Amino acid sequence: MTAPPPTPPRTPHPRWLTTPTGTAVAALVLALLLAASTLPAIGLGTALIPPAETARYLWAALTGGAIAPDEVTRYQIIWNIRTPRVVLAALVGAGLGAVGVAVQALVRNPLADPYILGVSSGASVGAVTVGVLGALAALGPYAVSAGAFLGALTATLLVHLIARSPAGITPLRLVLTGVALSFGFQAIMSVIIYLAPGNEATATVLFWTMGGFGAATWGSLPVVAVIVLAGLAALHTMSRRLDATALGDETATSLGVDVDRTRRVLFLITALMTGAMVAVSGAIGFVGLVVPHVVRILVGAAHRRVLTIAPLAGAVLMIWVDLVSRTIAAPRELPLGVLTALIGVPVFLTLMRRRGYLFGGR
């Protein structure tokens, strides 16, 4: 009689972190780290402003305090340039971390990331179209972001319509449709760039393919903040359904979960969040892919815990990556996608070789 095959090892993680107390402690530590990262991220840059002065300028901005005439320039740098940039970095990092978790559950694929459904490619086409053709000029400095968001919504609609079948929306059809449309949108973008007079599209293309927060303003924050924060709350309320769908459609249905409806709602939430983030920051790779895996190692696979920790971890990571991108080669600024790839590739390869860690159960 042959022995039964051994049970595959589970993803190792410190057991105390899987308890409600452990997860709460981890969340508190990350929240404190996020708060502690904000001040140096705002003060550091080409113009170095000490933490005490940075805090004083922020306090003056929040309370309406007076600023000496010779400090106006430094105050403007702190409040109107760096603070919205750091806030946007935290929002996008939190959103990418959470959407990565949701998309991997949506398509049941551990290699999925927020951009696998073609949303970022559609946003890039919208941004480049606006930049080259001058559409939506009435929106002024927000024209490119608006074009990107419209492109993202168009891509979302197309993916949803094409991926639907009599049996509903299946994970495989979503992935295949998203990948196919991504290639199609990239081809359209290439044609627009090729036919564009001059080189005015080059900077736009680089921004939307590599990502960055250089265009952050207070005016661009409200919409993305509302969408990302509302999306985070909605995903957290769906954590039990995500746990069920991760077990397979039949098991989830037997547990009372409407799988097709859950998948449609997830698709809508993740697409809106991704479109809003890409519209203001471009496509930033690896964050939504690697952060969920690292968090699962720490707190286990339960989505309530993962969706509590992943946004905080993503926010902290993105603030520091953005700080490095604008200081390591100052006064020039490195594209964020370069740094996230330099971090994400070795981390991902390390996870693949980590004893006991399973990608997709194999």
Side-chain angles (χ1 to χ4, degrees), residues 71-156:
E71 295 180 313
V72 170
T73 299
R74 293 159 72 85
Y75 170 81
Q76 295 287 350
I77 291 173
I78 290 296
W79 183 245
N80 290 326
I81 298 177
R82 292 186 187 167
T83 301
R85 178 172 184 145
V86 171
V87 172
L88 182 61
L91 284 171
V92 171
L96 288 177
V99 172
V101 174
V103 170
Q104 288 169 10
L106 172 65
V107 301
R108 292 209 301 271
N109 189 328
L111 297 179
D113 73 350
Y115 309 124
I116 197 172
L117 300 179
V119 177
S120 63
S121 297
S124 298
V125 171
V128 172
T129 301
V130 170
V132 172
L133 302 180
L136 304 177
L139 297 178
Y142 307 114
V144 173
S145 293
F149 190 62
L150 290 176
L153 292 182
T154 301
T156 299

Side-chain angles (χ1 to χ4, degrees), residues 313-339:
V316 172
L317 173 64
M318 192 54 62
I319 284 178
W320 283 101
V321 169
D322 178 57
L323 176 60
V324 172
S325 76
R326 55 188 167 87
T327 57
I328 193 172
R332 302 189 65 180
E333 183 176 320
L334 291 179
L336 286 178
V338 173
L339 294 177

